[in-house]
Amino acid sequence: FHFAFLAYILLQSFAVMSCDASAIDGMCASSGSITLHKSIVQIAIRFLSHDDVAAAAALSGTNPELVRLISTLVISASILFVIAFHFINKEWHLWRDIKLTTEGLLDQVPDISPMVNLPDLIDTDASNDDDNKGQNSKTTPPKSLVDPANPSLLQCYSPSTLTQLTPVPNLSKSQVDALALRAKNAQLCWKQSTFPQRRRVLRTLQKYVVSHVDQICRLCATDSGK
């Protein structure tokens, strides 16, 4: 894109600055060249002043040579700007950062908090108080992970205190196979997704993790017993 824009500016500048060699008194014989010079200067003045009337008045009665000089300076500055931006962007990836920043500000990702149910936290402060009082807060290890009262659930315990945590479903082989097939089908769709689509998914997960970071860290510490 940068080189295409640069080539366009160069072609326009060569066309603007080309004059008929047989012109009288060193003036360019082509009136279209002067018109193009005036258009470039008018665009520059309009960009700086944001006033169309002032841009038109500034060119009225102006020496064509002065118009040509200002136009050449504008074209040269544009070329230098494009070249500088290209090499700066190549080194520090500014254009990528600008796009990602704009996307983060304007493209709001959905909130998946209502769809995620984190397990309940145990009262770790109460357990610490019991330890400080010399009481043994640890319970007897379970003989089986399967809940005797409900075989469809697995009992979970904290490795450090053996305190019972929230139970999880005791899946059968067919249920595990169904989940694996579901994950396989999801991977087929994922591999066909574009990078912006994947980035949006990751930003959605990031939003949830950042907003629940304390709860997630406490759950991980309790589950691992650390």
Side-chain angles (χ1 to χ4, degrees):
F1 170 76
H2 301 132
F3 283 112
F5 183 65
L6 178 60
Y8 172 77
I9 292 178
L10 287 174
L11 291 176
Q12 290 295 330
S13 62
F14 290 151
V16 166
M17 292 183 293
S18 62
C19 286
D20 189 359
S22 62
I24 301 175
D25 297 332
M27 296 295 293
C28 183
S30 174
S31 60
S33 176
I34 297 298
T35 303
L36 187 55
H37 278 298
K38 288 185 177 181
S39 300
I40 295 175
V41 176
Q42 189 172 4
I43 292 174
I45 297 176
R46 185 185 304 138
F47 176 78
L48 296 175
S49 64
H50 303 285
D51 190 351
D52 295 341
V53 178
L59 293 177
S60 59
T62 306
N63 189 341
E65 291 298 329
L66 180 59
V67 172
R68 190 191 311 278
L69 177 60
I70 297 176
S71 175
T72 305
L73 292 176
V74 171
I75 294 174
S76 302
S78 301
I79 295 174
L80 292 176
F81 173 78
V82 172
I83 295 176
F85 182 81
H86 169 74
F87 286 104
I88 293 176
N89 180 61
K90 185 178 180 181
E91 182 69 23
W92 289 295
H93 306 288
L94 292 180
W95 183 243
R96 179 200 62 187
D97 295 340
I98 292 174
K99 290 193 298 183
L100 293 179
T101 302
T102 305
E103 178 182 307
L105 294 175
L106 301 181
D107 185 17
Q108 299 296 326
V109 295
D111 185 13
I112 60 174
S113 297
M115 296 182 290
V116 179
N117 296 321
L118 292 178
D120 296 331
L121 291 170
I122 62 173
D123 191 0
T124 56
D125 295 334
S127 299
N128 293 333
D129 292 340
D130 292 340
D131 291 339
N132 294 332
K133 294 177 181 179
Q135 299 178 358
N136 186 9
S137 61
K138 293 186 178 181
T139 60
T140 304
K143 296 181 178 180
S144 174
L145 292 179
V146 179
D147 190 350
N150 188 356
S152 63
L153 296 177
L154 291 178
Q155 302 178 96
C156 298
Y157 291 84
S158 172
S160 60
T161 62
L162 297 181
T163 305
Q164 186 173 4
L165 306 178
T166 302
V168 296
N170 182 18
L171 302 179
S172 63
K173 181 180 182 300
S174 59
Q175 290 175 316
V176 174
D177 292 339
L179 290 176
L181 180 60
R182 182 180 176 184
K184 181 180 179 180
N185 295 333
Q187 194 277 332
L188 295 177
C189 297
W190 177 259
K191 75 175 185 178
Q192 297 177 354
S193 61
T194 62
F195 181 67
Q197 291 172 332
R198 297 184 181 189
R199 187 168 63 245
R200 182 175 176 83
V201 172
L202 294 178
R203 289 180 56 234
T204 302
L205 297 177
Q206 179 193 36
K207 180 178 180 179
Y208 177 83
V209 171
V210 170
S211 59
H212 297 78
V213 61
D214 293 335
Q215 187 178 5
I216 292 175
C217 290
R218 292 181 62 187
L219 283 173
C220 292
T222 303
D223 182 66
S224 61
K226 298 180 179 178

